[in-house]
Amino acid sequence: FIALIAAALVAKIFIHGANSFGSEGDNWLFGSLRVAFSYSVGILVARKWTSTETSKVVGWGTLFYMIFGLIIALPFLSLPTAPVDAIMVTIVFPILFWLVVRCETPPPPIQKWMRYMGNISFPLYAVHMPLIRLIGRIENSPASAILAICLSLILACGMTWLSAAFARRIRELSRIRSHRGALSNTPPHASTHNHQDDLGSPVGTAHLFIASH
C-alpha cells in the first residue's frame, strides 16, 4: 500500500513540478497523497521500531546536526525541484524519521525541550500555511512572511496548551467516573464499614463527598 501511494505521489510531483500541491483550491484533492504517504510511513515506523528494546544506531546529537544542516543547505543548492522533492519525500525523510526513533535518548533537559517541540509540531503544521496565505494576500513582503511565521508559532503554542488542558480535564472526569463506578459496585455493608473507618481522614471525607454527588 505504501509503495503504491509513494508511486502516485512521485508521479504527481513530476506532473506538478514540485511537492507543493494540496494547499490551494485547484489542487487540494491531491494533498491526500501527501497525507496518506506520511501517515502510513509514520504508523509503520511506530509499530515496528519504537520499542525501547530496539538497539540504537546513531547518537542524538549527530542526527540533530544532520537534519538541521540538511534543512539549512537545501534552499541554497541549485538542484532540479521535482526530482529532489520526490527523493527527499519518499526516501530521505522516511530514513531520517526511522533514525529519529532509533537514535540514543538525549539528556533530560534536551528531551523535555524536544518533547515540547514535538507537541507543537502538528498544530504548527495545521495553521502555518493558512496564515501565510492570508497575510500574503494582505501584504506580500519579507516582513509579512516573518509576521505570519511568528503568529503561527504563537497560535500553535496556544493550541497545544488548550489541548493539554482539555486532555487533563477529560482524564480527571474519567477518574471521577471510575471511582463512582467502583463505589456503586461495593456491597452496602462493606461501603458503610469503610466510610465509618475512614471518616476522620481527608481521603475518607473526599470519598464520601464524591459518592454523595
Side-chain angles (χ1 to χ4, degrees), residues 48-68:
K48 290 185 65 69
W49 290 294
T50 54
S51 172
T52 55
E53 299 177 358
T54 305
S55 60
K56 306 305 180 183
V57 298
V58 65
W60 73 269
T62 301
L63 184 59
F64 176 81
Y65 289 115
M66 185 190 306
I67 297 174
F68 185 76

Side-chain angles (χ1 to χ4, degrees), residues 33-45:
L33 292 174
R34 299 170 61 181
V35 173
F37 178 75
S38 59
Y39 273 76
S40 299
V41 170
I43 292 170
L44 175 66
V45 171

